[in-house]
Amino acid sequence: MATITDVAARAGVSVATVSRTLNGKATVDPELAARVRAAAAELGYQPNGLARSLRKRRTAVLALIISDVANPFFTSVARGVEDVALIAGYSVVLCNSDEDLDKERRYLDMAVEERVAGVVLSPSGETTNVGALLGRGTPVVAVDRPLPGVDQVLVNTRLAAVEATAHLIRSGYQHIGCVTGPVGIRTADDRLAGYLAALAAAGRPDDPRLVRRTDYRAEGGQRATVEVLRAGPVDGLLVANSAQAIGVLEALRSAGSRLGTDVGVVAFDDAPWATLIDPPLTVVAQPAYELGALAAELLLDRIGGATSEVTVRTLEARLIERGSSRRSPDPADTARG
């Protein structure tokens, strides 16, 4: 069965362009829209008509439970889920768990009580329990973070952290630290593991003083950076998400550290503001929209009974090198020369 990603590949466009075309958005270039429609016809793509035919058995609503809607990464995930769901005739209820297991549990209970057709979930921790939903036959797809026993759409975030840290090493930074998320959140654990693996591969000792685990917010990133700067010499930082990166940049500015020159920084997620600072921020760009779109497709397949075995799809991230990880000449040295 052809998927929305198959159509995008055949048409040579993004998944977002396919979604906008099939949803009838007028903003799509007519030539691209024609290519999308032709590709869909060639592949026999159907927006899960079987799922639509079954929706009368339960509410034609999907629940999307994510950790932080203010995070641009999850905003893009949500848009991917919504666009695909809309094509298939479903509405999406957005729930914000705030990385709080109790709040997440309340939303999962709501999904059971309201008999939603399915749930896309970014688990808040290792103890997330979707047994009540599965027991009632409500399909669940985990997005961004794994959850045993259900379909999953993930990013190879450990490998991305290896590549980002290796980039800082190649760029000449000697004392590289890491600001990552809380213990027990798989993406935070994987990014730390990738950072440590890259140091080991380069023969660099890891310095526990230069590692901080904190919440995935700007305040946490700022607090962690202040602590790292006080702990020992640091001239490079791997940062686990764009919200933390805001706090990291604030702390570096307050300390008088010049981005790139004094401290090289690479952060996960290509936030809209990343190219607006000076120098622009080097990032690990994750395919957030595609994560959401694929998660919604897997969920609709489950609703339609098109698959029985657990499916795990793993996407790759991409390092985008910019000025924040390039050493610039010190103006004072240039003047002296």
Side-chain angles (χ1 to χ4, degrees):
M1 178 183 295
T3 68
I4 195 169
T5 52
D6 297 328
V7 175
R10 175 66 67 91
V13 299
S14 68
V15 172
T17 297
V18 175
S19 291
R20 288 197 298 269
T21 299
L22 298 182
N23 277 313
K25 302 289 186 182
T27 55
V28 180
D29 179 89
E31 181 181 347
L32 295 182
R35 279 162 48 188
V36 168
R37 286 191 288 269
E42 291 168 9
L43 294 172
Y45 174 75
Q46 295 293 329
N48 214 295
L50 180 57
R52 279 203 307 270
S53 71
L54 294 176
R55 74 186 185 207
K56 292 181 180 178
R57 299 183 184 180
R58 56 180 73 233
T59 309
V61 172
L62 307 180
L64 171 61
I65 305 174
I66 56 177
S67 64
D68 186 4
V69 71
N71 184 334
F73 170 80
F74 283 113
T75 303
S76 294
V77 169
R79 187 56 188 261
V81 171
E82 182 186 36
D83 283 354
V84 171
L86 184 61
I87 294 171
Y90 286 84
S91 300
V92 177
V93 174
L94 179 61
C95 307
N96 195 64
S97 70
D98 288 320
E99 307 283 13
D100 184 321
L101 283 168
D102 288 335
K103 189 174 181 182
E104 178 186 80
R105 191 177 301 113
R106 290 198 297 272
Y107 280 131
L108 291 171
D109 290 343
M110 177 275 295
V112 172
E113 294 167 3
E114 297 298 327
R115 297 185 61 82
V116 300
V119 175
V120 175
L121 167 69
S122 178
S124 294
E126 296 175 349
T127 59
T128 292
N129 188 340
V130 294
L133 283 165
L134 299 179
R136 297 193 64 167
T138 303
V140 177
V141 175
V143 65
D144 183 48
R145 305 167 184 177
L147 188 64
V150 303
D151 295 330
Q152 303 165 45
V153 186
L154 312 172
V155 174
N156 193 342
T157 192
R158 184 183 186 279
L159 176 61
V162 169
E163 293 174 345
T165 307
H167 165 68
L168 286 169
I169 293 170
R170 289 193 305 271
S171 298
Y173 298 99
Q174 298 298 314
H175 305 285
I176 301 169
C178 178
V179 175
T180 190
V183 175
I185 293 180
R186 181 62 175 272
T187 52
D189 295 344
D190 283 350
R191 289 165 199 181
L192 177 58
Y195 156 81
L196 294 173
L199 292 182
R204 298 275 188 94
D206 62 274
D207 185 346
R209 298 176 304 164
L210 303 186
V211 174
R212 289 293 184 278
R213 305 199 66 148
T214 185
D215 54 276
Y216 271 139
R217 289 185 166 81
E219 296 81 2
Q222 184 174 25
R223 183 171 59 251
T225 304
V226 169
E227 293 172 358
V228 167
L229 291 174
R230 289 174 179 168
V234 58
D235 64 353
L237 282 173
L238 174 67
V239 185
N241 83 344
S242 62
Q244 288 179 330
I246 293 172
V248 169
L249 296 176
E250 289 175 347
L252 292 177
R253 182 180 61 182
S254 296
S257 296
R258 294 161 298 178
L259 191 59
T261 300
D262 297 323
V263 181
V265 175
V266 179
F268 272 76
D269 302 326
D270 194 13
W273 52 263
T275 58
L276 303 179
I277 62 174
D278 184 24
L281 186 65
T282 295
V283 299
V284 176
Q286 299 189 90
Y289 183 95
E290 287 75 9
L291 277 176
L294 283 173
E297 283 205 329
L298 287 178
L299 190 64
L300 292 172
D301 284 343
R302 281 286 175 190
I303 293 169
T307 183
S308 58
E309 296 189 6
V310 171
T311 299
V312 179
R313 297 285 298 275
T314 303
L315 307 181
E316 300 298 329
R318 179 169 57 99
L319 180 69
I320 301 177
E321 299 180 20
R322 297 182 181 131
S324 72
S325 60
R326 299 191 196 114
R327 283 199 183 278
S328 301
D330 189 315
D333 291 341
T334 301
R336 285 193 294 268

